Amino acid sequence: MSQEFLDLPQLVSAAGSVRLPGSKSISNRVLLLAALADGVTEVRDLLASDDTERMLDALKTLGVGVEALGGEAWKITGCAGRFPVKQAELFLGNAGTAFRPLTAALALAGGDYVLKGVARMHERPIGDLVDGLRQLGADVTYLGNDGYPPLQLRPASIQPGGVVKVRGDVSSQFLTGLLMALPLTGETVAVDVVGELISKPYIEITLATMARFGVIVERDGWQRFTVRAGSRYVSPGTVYVEGDASSASYFLALGAIGGGPLRVEGVGRDSIQGDVKFAEALAQMGAVIETGPNWMEAKAPAGGLVAVDLDCNHIPDAAMTLATAALFAQGTTTLRNIASWRVKETDRIAAMATELRKLGAGVEEGADFIRITPSTVKPAAIDTYDDHRMAMCFSLAAFATPLRINDPKCVAKTFPDYFERFATVTRAAPVIAIDGPSASGKGTVAARVAAALGFAYLDSGALYRLTALAAQRAGVAWTDEAAVAAIAARLDVVFTESDIRLDGVPVGDAIRTEAMSSGASQVAALPAVREALLFRQRAFNTAPGLVGDGRDMGSVIFPRAPLKVFLTASAEARAERRYKQLIDKGFSANLADLLSDLRQRDERDSQRSVAPLRQEADARLLDTTHLTIEQAVKQVLDWATEALQ
Ligand code: DC
């Protein structure tokens, strides 16, 4: 898994409007049926994502005419049920919506094919679909474990007509795959569903899409589906793919938590996707929902969200969004009938439980349910398990706390620019970044500005000083990068109103000595130490706002800070201030030594290769050589009034 991460500040509000990317479920169904159809289909608003790319690549390999028209439009020249390439090996990544239907279509198409995916795809069951295909006479071999991909498909004589039994209680994609492939047999075939059919709305999408391409499935409730002999797919000309209703869930939840109104465009009342019912679930939590034919909008309720106890069988994917929305609901939320979560991109019940617990929530999980009780949320680094929905769901938690999302690029499976859109409709708790050299007075100014605005205050230099102190106490040399970084990562510090506690004990002035100033400057030059302290600093970015002081607040830690100040003073003025400070605290001091030490530290802080001290292009310069503290504070507050509007 990639080591990349995305740090989210705490959010204060969400509102605006988002045009959704195309539905994954509809996109891949439309592509396959367009490929199997007679005629040319122009597919518009197709989802651009990993899963659709896997399908497009597979179709190209099979000899189907696939042409990009630009702007999410594609021209597919159908093969009228006969793929030109009769022998191929296909790699389908982790795309279930490509793997299952292609398995069915290729098993009945009369060629020699191997279908493979990523390791997780090889852990996702496909036995029920294969059993159904074998009843029709298909020749399918498991190349790995029985019941799981990879698969080998060989030409076989498909038996005429009859009834196929398929289980419906593990994944509805088996029934979807079978139904879409049945016209290839040329016979009348009935499919009987064994067991309770889950995720019924996805079958509705399948039937609606097949109808669009001219094949009407006769149905007897949710028990029996019949495709008549002579059914064949015919291109409808142009097909527009609806916006993705599952993707809509994140933005609707953001509106419900963060105020709103937040509108999603591309899916609404007239949608064929079952996940639009997510809006009803959110309304049960108290959200104010409005819908139009192809849009939906959510607002927060006056009294806040409330917990629900819900059967989520009809919205398996969007229900994940309810799990993180539950962090903001009063009471305990129970999501039931979600066993299918366990066989998705990851075991989503286990993954959801583990990550919600990291944030401090109380979680109970069972074979087919999850129960969430919110509590005080704490910053955490969230793992995403190569599961796009985990990454998107946990972005909501940023309303409770700053957090880190590991491997955020996994959203590419269905929503490559999710976090960019997320940023356009949310407002983060603002940061005032104050950087400058030692003893410039930035600490005093920053603390007073924070108090005046009611913001949190981060003395980032203290973290380097504490690291130096903890290293010294542990007998670790300040030059031992790996060992000091390990200490920085584990640093047990608590900042309170009156003091700083290291390992539970107030440190007092022990971090303010000249020795610790020098130690801090040395450990701060070590890249691994800076990396270890990165998220710890960003975790201070809470509502209603933060004032941070240091050397790299504006350049590295909070590059998006709406106000950056470079606060400095002449070396002589700074040495004199430090001299007075030390004398006041009862330390002995020598002005000339202080001046030379200060120059040495300035040199090290500004010449080091990582995060050197420098004035950012977008930082405002505040030279305090001839200013009182009050004057400096007033200047920063004036700038803040302007910048934080
Ligand atoms: O601001 P201060 O004097 O307490 O900082 C102590 C040392 O830590 C100083 O030598 C520079 C370093 N530091 C840093 O590299 N980056 C920061 N954001 C803050 C401090």
Side-chain angles (χ1 to χ4, degrees):
M1 198 201 289
S2 147
Q3 285 307 302
E4 278 183 61
F5 54 78
L6 173 70
D7 289 333
L8 296 176
Q10 189 174 3
L11 302 175
V12 291
S13 64
S17 135
V18 172
R19 171 152 281 282
L20 295 165
S23 152
K24 173 181 70 158
S25 304
I26 298 177
S27 290
N28 269 353
R29 282 169 176 78
V30 165
L31 286 177
L32 180 60
L33 297 194
L36 293 174
D38 197 356
V40 175
T41 307
E42 196 169 311
V43 184
R44 298 197 162 261
D45 299 337
L46 189 82
L47 170 65
S49 73
D50 288 350
D51 277 18
T52 47
E53 244 171 62
R54 293 291 78 73
M55 180 64 101
L56 287 164
D57 284 349
L59 295 178
K60 275 185 221 159
T61 307
L62 292 166
V64 174
V66 171
E67 192 189 330
L69 301 176
E72 323 312 349
W74 294 79
K75 188 165 121 185
I76 309 292
T77 305
C79 64
R82 285 176 300 277
F83 290 113
V85 174
K86 295 287 173 207
Q87 193 168 20
E89 179 169 318
L90 303 178
F91 173 75
L92 299 166
N94 199 9
T97 55
F99 206 106
R100 279 69 175 265
L102 276 169
T103 296
L106 292 173
L108 303 182
D112 205 329
Y113 303 105
V114 170
L115 271 61
K116 293 182 167 169
V118 297
R120 173 64 187 167
M121 195 70 233
H122 296 172
E123 294 169 5
R124 299 175 68 182
I126 198 160
D128 294 327
L129 174 59
V130 170
D131 290 349
L133 291 166
R134 283 177 173 164
Q135 291 168 53
L136 289 167
D139 182 348
V140 184
T141 311
Y142 295 114
L143 296 176
N145 294 331
D146 266 10
Y148 297 85
L151 302 176
Q152 164 109 50
L153 313 174
R154 289 204 183 82
S157 47
I158 300 305
Q159 288 148 18
V163 178
V164 175
K165 291 192 188 309
V166 67
R167 272 180 64 177
D169 55 354
V170 176
S171 167
S172 66
Q173 286 184 17
F174 303 147
L175 179 57
T176 283
L178 257 184
L179 289 175
M180 292 203 298
L182 284 184
L184 299 185
T185 66
E187 305 283 343
T188 298
V189 183
V191 182
D192 273 359
V193 177
V194 181
E196 166 79 11
L197 178 64
I198 61 165
S199 314
K200 296 185 180 86
Y202 286 104
I203 300 301
E204 303 267 23
I205 297 178
T206 304
L207 301 181
T209 313
M210 286 172 72
R212 198 74 215 286
F213 282 85
V215 172
I216 307 298
V217 179
E218 290 169 26
R219 51 180 284 201
D220 184 358
W222 295 105
Q223 278 309 306
R224 172 169 282 207
F225 300 82
T226 307
V227 175
R228 292 279 157 204
S231 298
R232 55 188 204 95
Y233 293 120
V234 179
S235 166
T238 303
V239 177
Y240 286 85
V241 175
E242 281 184 18
D244 193 296
S246 313
S247 301
S249 70
Y250 312 110
F251 295 101
L252 294 176
L254 282 173
I257 298 163
L262 217 165
R263 180 177 285 216
V264 291
E265 289 170 38
V267 43
R269 256 200 315 266
D270 296 347
S271 169
I272 59 166
Q273 298 168 74
D275 268 358
V276 287
K277 290 260 182 343
F278 170 82
E280 289 169 22
L282 205 56
Q284 279 189 46
M285 294 181 89
V288 182
I289 304 286
E290 277 190 61
T291 55
N294 70 341
W295 58 266
M296 299 191 279
E297 193 174 277
K299 278 193 283 194
L305 297 174
V306 290
V308 284
D309 185 328
L310 209 66
D311 183 326
C312 296
N313 191 273
H314 61 304
I315 48 168
D317 282 353
M320 287 179 74
T321 312
L322 298 174
T324 47
L327 293 171
F328 303 90
Q330 202 187 337
T332 296
T333 290
T334 307
L335 307 177
R336 299 180 191 277
N337 209 352
I338 53 167
S340 67
W341 283 22
R342 295 217 182 261
V343 294
K344 295 292 173 95
E345 279 78 346
T346 184
D347 177 341
R348 286 176 165 170
I349 297 185
M352 188 56 84
T354 305
E355 302 309 309
L356 284 170
R357 284 189 189 116
K358 278 190 192 166
L359 291 170
V363 184
E364 194 189 327
E365 60 167 299
D368 66 347
F369 76 90
I370 190 164
R371 183 169 290 140
I372 301 129
T373 308
S375 94
T376 313
V377 175
K378 52 184 192 223
I382 300 297
D383 289 315
T384 47
Y385 307 79
D386 205 11
D387 182 351
H388 54 136
R389 299 208 186 284
M390 284 293 288
M392 295 189 278
C393 282
F394 275 87
S395 67
L396 307 185
F399 269 106
T401 176
L403 80 165
R404 170 166 287 186
I405 304 230
N406 285 326
D407 189 23
K409 294 217 172 100
C410 66
V411 299
K413 191 166 199 289
T414 51
F415 204 155
D417 62 350
Y418 174 74
F419 284 106
E420 286 78 4
R421 309 275 191 101
F422 174 87
T424 64
V425 294
T426 53
R427 259 195 68 218
V431 174
I432 298 175
I434 303 184
D435 290 307
S438 283
S440 55
K442 63 191 183 318
T444 312
V445 172
R448 292 206 193 173
V449 169
L453 296 172
F455 282 13
Y457 166 52
L458 166 62
D459 171 3
S460 63
L463 285 171
Y464 293 96
R465 291 172 180 271
L466 286 158
T467 302
L469 179 65
Q472 190 189 53
R473 285 181 180 171
V476 166
W478 288 331
T479 47
D480 185 345
E481 180 162 3
V484 180
I487 286 174
R490 284 196 314 266
L491 212 57
D492 173 12
V493 302
V494 179
F495 289 83
T496 71
E497 287 277 297
S498 53
D499 62 24
I500 302 174
R501 288 162 190 265
L502 180 60
D503 297 321
V505 183
V507 289
D509 285 333
I511 57 165
R512 302 289 167 199
T513 63
E514 280 303 285
M516 247 8 102
S517 295
S518 170
S521 172
Q522 289 176 53
V523 300
L526 306 173
V529 172
R530 303 198 75 85
E531 179 67 30
L533 293 174
L534 182 62
F535 181 55
R536 194 185 280 269
Q537 295 174 79
R538 288 181 175 163
F540 279 83
N541 191 179
T542 52
L546 171 71
V547 183
D549 88 61
R551 305 293 184 285
D552 61 347
M553 296 292 99
S555 58
V556 176
I557 311 295
F558 305 112
R560 298 219 176 114
L563 175 59
K564 297 178 184 177
V565 178
F566 190 77
L567 196 149
T568 189
S570 69
E572 291 74 15
R574 289 186 285 128
E576 218 158 284
R577 287 175 194 168
R578 180 67 99 204
Y579 177 78
K580 277 200 197 123
Q581 252 177 12
L582 289 171
I583 297 295
D584 285 351
K585 286 186 176 155
F587 294 116
S588 63
N590 173 304
L591 189 57
D593 287 352
L594 281 174
L595 183 58
S596 103
D597 281 359
L598 209 61
R599 289 206 158 115
Q600 209 180 326
R601 251 185 296 142
D602 281 357
E603 173 81 8
R604 186 157 48 214
D605 291 348
S606 53
Q607 294 308 312
R608 68 185 176 215
S609 58
V610 283
L613 173 67
R614 61 182 156 83
Q615 183 182 351
E616 285 292 282
D618 55 351
R620 301 179 192 233
L621 178 66
L622 183 57
D623 187 333
T624 65
T625 308
H626 304 294
L627 295 185
T628 62
I629 290 170
E630 288 69 23
Q631 287 170 322
V633 170
K634 178 166 183 312
Q635 178 61 79
V636 177
L637 285 172
D638 285 349
W639 283 335
T641 310
E642 192 183 305
L644 305 189
Q645 269 170 4

